[in-house]
Amino acid sequence: MSFHKPLDEIFPSVPDGLDARALDPAQVPAHVAVIMDGNGRWAKERGKVRLAGHKAGIGAVRETIRCASDVGVRYLTIYAFSSENWKRPEDEVRGLMDLFAKTMLAEVDGLHEEHVRVMTIGDASALPPKTRQAFAEAWEKTRNNTGMTLVVSVNYGGRAEILRAANDIAREAAAKQAAGVPFAPVDEAAFARHLDTADIPDPDLVIRTSGEMRISNFLLWQIAYSEFYITDVLWPDFDRYDFLRALLDFQGRTRRFGGVK
Ligand code: FPP
């Protein structure tokens, strides 16, 4: 196991008190999921509109993607827009949708060069056409890449996802019953195959910025045994060293998955 780049290229100026060499390449989490929170507060602190915070957050997204890919994370899921975020003021929602479209179009070539595969989870059908197309094009262009998978959660809600799966399963069960097939209970693996994350392993590590201690309807099924790391840093200020802190903290945990070590 090794990093994709020399450590001093990934972390060129490590702050005092942090040791990048302590990072074990064999213990890098395969799947990191991030709740990018605090854009609004970041903007407010600077007397700016909320959208300015979201725009500033793009830099942190770029840096986190690059760093995660360089250290060998296989899946990085980012919570870009929840199914509840439609309740925000109309201009913020519109601004975010434009930002997603523009950012995806601007970044896809760079992501492709880094062999990143870009996909979405959530109900993309409700997105404005421009935004939906930008994500669809990113998927088309990168779908055969074998590097890190970037999973963008957009119009995503954990409960809605579980309901969609339950309804799929109920529909299949009704069809089977009508065909006279005897009842067979659904197990966890079969249920998980109906989720948006069917082909994605559960997150090992969930990071939330801005100090909030809640899960906000994110990956409810998938986080059953995830480790949590919460930092007070506001998302636009989150950088590779904050990501390194989260990884080192994760590597210090003992995961028991309900058993004993
Ligand atoms: C939460 O902060 C942040 C969001 C709802 C949006 C995050 C989106 C980005 C950073 C852009 C990502 C871009 C792509 C292409 C995926 P908040 O507004 O809830 O902050 P607050 O809690 O301080 O108000």
Side-chain angles (χ1 to χ4, degrees), residues 36-41 50 54 58 78 80 88 100 103 152:
M36 311 181 286
D37 195 13
N39 295 350
R41 273 160 286 169
R50 296 178 53 79
H54 299 315
I58 298 294
I78 55 173
R88 292 185 175 215
F100 296 152
T103 307
V152 184

Side-chain angles (χ1 to χ4, degrees), residues 14-115:
V14 185
D16 283 349
L18 196 58
D19 182 9
R21 286 161 309 177
L23 193 65
D24 177 357
Q27 305 290 333
V28 168
H31 184 174
V32 179
V34 186
I35 303 177
M36 311 181 286
D37 195 13
N39 295 350
R41 273 160 286 169
W42 185 94
K44 195 169 177 205
E45 280 174 7
R46 288 160 181 77
K48 296 182 176 185
V49 294
R50 296 178 53 79
L51 197 58
H54 299 315
K55 285 185 181 158
I58 298 294
V61 173
R62 205 181 283 126
E63 180 148 340
T64 304
I65 294 171
R66 172 103 0 111
C67 185
S69 164
D70 287 348
V71 297
V73 168
R74 298 299 305 152
Y75 295 85
L76 177 70
T77 300
I78 55 173
Y79 205 3
F81 194 87
S82 79
S83 41
E84 288 72 40
N85 284 155
W86 299 107
K87 291 184 224 155
R88 292 185 175 215
E90 207 184 308
D91 59 340
E92 183 178 348
V93 169
R94 200 174 325 112
L96 271 170
M97 291 298 152
D98 281 354
L99 187 63
F100 296 152
K102 280 196 192 116
T103 307
M104 250 11 278
L105 292 175
E107 301 289 336
V108 67
D109 288 344
L111 292 168
H112 188 48
E113 273 168 32
E114 304 258 328
H115 314 290

Side-chain angles (χ1 to χ4, degrees), residues 53-257:
H54 299 315
K55 285 185 181 158
I58 298 294
V61 173
R62 205 181 283 126
E63 180 148 340
T64 304
I65 294 171
R66 172 103 0 111
C67 185
S69 164
D70 287 348
V71 297
V73 168
R74 298 299 305 152
Y75 295 85
L76 177 70
T77 300
I78 55 173
Y79 205 3
F81 194 87
S82 79
S83 41
E84 288 72 40
N85 284 155
W86 299 107
K87 291 184 224 155
R88 292 185 175 215
E90 207 184 308
D91 59 340
E92 183 178 348
V93 169
R94 200 174 325 112
L96 271 170
M97 291 298 152
D98 281 354
L99 187 63
F100 296 152
K102 280 196 192 116
T103 307
M104 250 11 278
L105 292 175
E107 301 289 336
V108 67
D109 288 344
L111 292 168
H112 188 48
E113 273 168 32
E114 304 258 328
H115 314 290
V116 172
R117 183 169 74 130
V118 182
M119 59 181 285
T120 59
I121 56 171
D123 180 8
S125 71
L127 301 177
K130 219 170 50 177
T131 309
R132 201 173 55 232
Q133 271 158 23
F135 283 124
E137 281 171 28
W139 164 248
E140 276 311 317
K141 182 162 186 132
T142 64
R143 58 189 295 172
N144 294 320
N145 286 349
T146 54
M148 185 179 81
T149 298
L150 172 67
V151 184
V152 184
S153 313
V154 62
N155 192 22
Y156 174 86
R159 286 185 174 181
E161 179 193 35
I162 290 170
L163 270 183
R164 279 198 297 278
N167 281 312
D168 277 357
I169 290 166
R171 220 173 286 115
E172 282 180 16
K176 280 186 187 157
Q177 192 183 34
V181 179
F183 172 79
V186 174
D187 63 13
E188 287 188 12
F191 191 89
R193 280 197 293 277
H194 288 267
L195 296 169
D196 299 357
T197 51
D199 302 317
I200 302 172
D202 289 343
D204 302 289
L205 171 64
V206 177
I207 299 173
R208 182 167 190 149
T209 57
S210 90
E212 304 288 354
M213 307 269 186
R214 29 169 202 278
I215 200 63
S216 303
N217 205 10
F218 190 42
L219 301 173
L220 295 181
W221 171 278
Q222 297 87 342
I223 57 165
Y225 286 103
S226 303
E227 298 293 325
F228 282 78
Y229 178 85
I230 294 169
T231 169
D232 286 335
V233 173
L234 303 179
W235 179 251
D237 293 327
F238 188 87
D239 66 14
R240 63 191 57 228
Y241 302 103
D242 296 309
F243 192 67
L244 173 62
R245 284 186 189 92
L247 295 177
L248 290 171
D249 195 85
F250 171 83
Q251 293 192 343
R253 311 271 180 101
T254 308
R255 302 183 78 192
R256 292 188 290 272
F257 300 95

